Amino acid sequence: MPTDTMRAIRLHEHGGPEVLRYDEVPVPEPGPGEVLVRVHAVGVNPPDWYLRGGLTSVPGEPDSTISLPVIPGTDVSGVVEAVAPDVDGLAVGDEVFGLLRFPGFDGRAYAEYVAARASDLARKPAGVDHVHAAGAPMAGLTAWQFLIEVGHDHPSPFQEARHRPTALGAGTTVLVNGAAGGVGHFAVQLAKWKGAQVVAVASGGHESFLSGLGADRFIDYTRSRPEELVHDADLVLDTVGGPHSSRFLRTLKRGGALFPVFLGEFDDEEIAKLGVTVSTAQVRSDSAQLAELGRLLDAGTVRVAIDSTFALADARAAHERAARGHIRGKIVLTVA
């Protein structure tokens, strides 16, 4: 069993990467439905720097507001150290990975130990190490819930209609914008797994990487405009979003769909005129889906690309790496 204290990264104030502090704090006690996980690796994700920058509540989640000091982080891979009496199916010594308490900012994963809901965890694939497993939960589940199966009935805070993935298979074309990033590189592989033709959009240095993941066509956005080269896509997954996302509407065939992972700006009249749909979703923790993704990881059908790793104590450097952009895969913190 652990000692009474552990090291963790905490925010005592909001700001840039420099506000991430390496503190000594009490080891958490697992509550009902929880297990204590000895953390081996932690995935770094956009909500981590949103929280650091001052966002303390998740849209649509009125109970998700947190107060400082707080331990950030949601993606974890590690080993079960203790189990609450009411938890079945997990035992001390089990290797697990998961997306903790999301949507919300209460994952508390940037630490040597974390109390995690058993319902947020899946068994870590035996053939995947902790670093790669920690890179999978949020990005992999985001791609899964946008493309394969939502898996829940929670209303989206971003739209009235429930998000419905497009049926993918032979004869369908999927364009992934931001294809080399965390969500993007999972999306490329999941679309290929379903048999779709995949057009990957990223900067030129990522061409061989994305071809290796199965992309059928590569477009370097620094040299060409995707909306001028593609006009027959059934689906666009835009992992970049923002004001320029609407340009991808013109890459779709009638009846096609654009799924922006980050909110974009769209004109309803243009959408109606083109005969397409725009739909988004909010990723949620889901152990069953994570277990399915884990089987694909174990089989080598899908793999996690690691951009870089940093020791937990160097979380500031990890956030600085994220801020520089052009990330290939995932940034991961390692815990000794």
Side-chain angles (χ1 to χ4, degrees):
M1 286 295 293
T3 60
D4 293 336
T5 61
M6 66 176 184
R7 302 308 296 261
I9 295 294
R10 288 202 298 177
L11 298 169
H12 296 259
E13 60 183 319
H14 298 292
E18 71 280 356
V19 302
L20 295 167
R21 283 176 35 182
Y22 191 49
D23 289 345
E24 187 167 329
V25 298
V27 172
E29 291 278 346
E34 293 183 339
V35 302
L36 181 67
V37 176
R38 169 71 170 94
V39 178
H40 283 256
V42 184
V44 176
N45 292 293
D48 304 351
W49 53 85
Y50 298 160
L51 173 62
R52 191 201 72 221
L55 185 65
T56 57
S57 62
V58 174
E61 300 292 322
D63 298 327
S64 67
T65 301
I66 60 92
S67 57
L68 300 177
V70 63
I71 300 171
T74 57
D75 275 7
V76 67
S77 183
V79 179
V80 175
E81 190 87 22
V83 180
D86 62 339
V87 171
D88 294 320
L90 289 176
V92 172
D94 286 345
E95 294 188 322
V96 293
F97 71 135
L99 171 62
L100 307 187
R101 303 181 185 88
F102 200 83
F105 287 123
D106 199 27
R108 305 192 291 270
Y110 282 29
E112 293 179 326
Y113 293 90
V114 64
R117 296 188 305 211
S119 59
D120 289 348
L121 298 171
R123 293 182 185 277
K124 182 185 73 65
V128 178
D129 63 27
H130 286 292
V131 167
H132 288 78
M138 177 171 285
L141 285 177
T142 298
W144 190 279
Q145 291 174 17
F146 268 83
L147 297 180
I148 310 298
E149 179 191 18
V150 176
H152 62 79
D153 293 317
H154 294 273
S156 170
F158 308 116
Q159 64 187 33
E160 291 185 10
R162 184 184 176 205
H163 176 73
R164 297 186 182 279
T166 297
L168 301 178
T172 57
T173 298
V174 177
L175 184 151
V176 180
N177 185 40
V183 175
H185 89 289
F186 277 109
V188 168
Q189 296 176 86
L190 290 176
K192 286 304 298 180
W193 172 57
K194 285 296 186 180
Q197 292 283 304
V198 176
V199 180
V201 178
S203 58
H206 298 303
E207 182 172 6
S208 61
F209 166 63
L210 291 165
S211 296
L213 295 182
D216 299 285
R217 182 181 177 188
F218 176 81
I219 297 176
D220 178 355
Y221 72 84
T222 69
R223 294 177 175 269
S224 305
R225 294 180 179 273
E227 67 273 21
E228 295 177 356
L229 299 177
V230 178
H231 302 288
D232 58 351
D234 297 277
L235 173 65
V236 172
L237 183 76
D238 183 8
T239 74
V240 179
H244 302 298
S245 190
S246 61
R247 66 194 174 118
F248 288 101
L249 293 172
R250 299 191 289 280
T251 69
L252 294 167
K253 62 178 62 170
R254 292 192 72 82
L258 170 59
F259 295 167
V261 175
F262 297 99
L263 294 182
E265 298 174 9
F266 304 97
D267 182 276
D268 290 340
E269 290 186 7
E270 182 184 17
I271 291 170
K273 181 180 178 181
L274 293 171
V276 299
T277 59
V278 174
S279 180
T280 191
Q282 185 179 60
V283 65
R284 304 188 79 89
S285 303
D286 190 306
S287 63
Q289 290 178 340
L290 198 57
E292 289 190 66
L293 183 61
R295 285 188 281 274
L296 295 178
L297 293 169
D298 216 17
T301 306
V302 173
R303 64 183 177 91
V304 185
I306 300 300
D307 175 273
S308 48
T309 61
F310 298 84
L312 178 66
D314 296 328
R316 172 179 176 171
H319 279 228
E320 289 170 345
R321 166 68 193 101
R324 292 196 296 272
H326 297 287
I327 298 166
R328 178 180 292 185
K330 293 293 300 179
I331 301 169
V332 174
L333 302 175
T334 58
V335 184

